[in-house]
Amino acid sequence: MNLDLTSMSRTDLEALKSDVESALIEVAEKEKQAARQAAEQAVAAYGFSLDDITGNGSKGRKSGPKPLSSPKYRNPADTDQTWTGKGRQPQWFKDAIAAGQSPDAMEI
């Protein structure tokens, strides 16, 4: 298939480009499906499913949000303010340390 691109108009070239991009997407999807089928057949020969191997089945990742950590420190000036000891230190904790208070004294 030989196309004389120099004789084509800009509109024709853009349409050709769009057609080529669409065709590339379709071919990539077909190749992905073929690869998946080949992989499923290969693992089936050993008695496994593809989900068993990749960990995408029901035994895979846990779903849902992470559980919240329990607070480890409490602000002595305002007992409603707590901190788990993980992540960035809250300003009240920094201020208390700067004032000479020990972290052990603020532990819950």
Side-chain angles (χ1 to χ4, degrees):
M1 173 164 129
N2 267 342
L3 294 175
D4 184 15
L5 301 177
T6 58
S7 66
M8 295 177 73
S9 71
R10 179 182 180 95
T11 308
D12 291 339
L13 287 170
E14 287 176 353
L16 179 62
K17 179 182 174 185
S18 176
D19 291 344
V20 167
E21 288 172 351
S22 297
L24 284 171
I25 290 171
E26 287 179 25
V27 167
E29 277 302 313
K30 286 180 184 176
E31 288 175 346
K32 243 191 256 185
Q33 288 175 352
R36 182 168 188 81
Q37 287 176 346
E40 286 173 347
Q41 289 174 354
V43 297
Y46 290 95
F48 296 102
S49 73
L50 196 54
D51 288 340
D52 291 339
I53 301 299
T54 61
N56 291 334
S58 60
K59 296 178 185 174
R61 276 186 14 199
K62 295 178 183 176
S63 62
K66 290 182 178 179
L68 296 176
S69 298
S70 301
K72 184 175 179 181
Y73 300 99
R74 177 170 282 128
N75 184 355
D78 181 2
T79 58
D80 290 338
Q81 293 179 331
T82 59
W83 178 47
T84 62
K86 298 177 184 176
R88 214 160 118 187
Q89 293 178 344
Q91 191 60 47
W92 62 261
F93 188 83
K94 291 178 186 178
D95 293 342
I97 297 296
Q101 188 144 17
S102 100
D104 295 337
M106 293 182 281
E107 277 190 18
I108 298 176

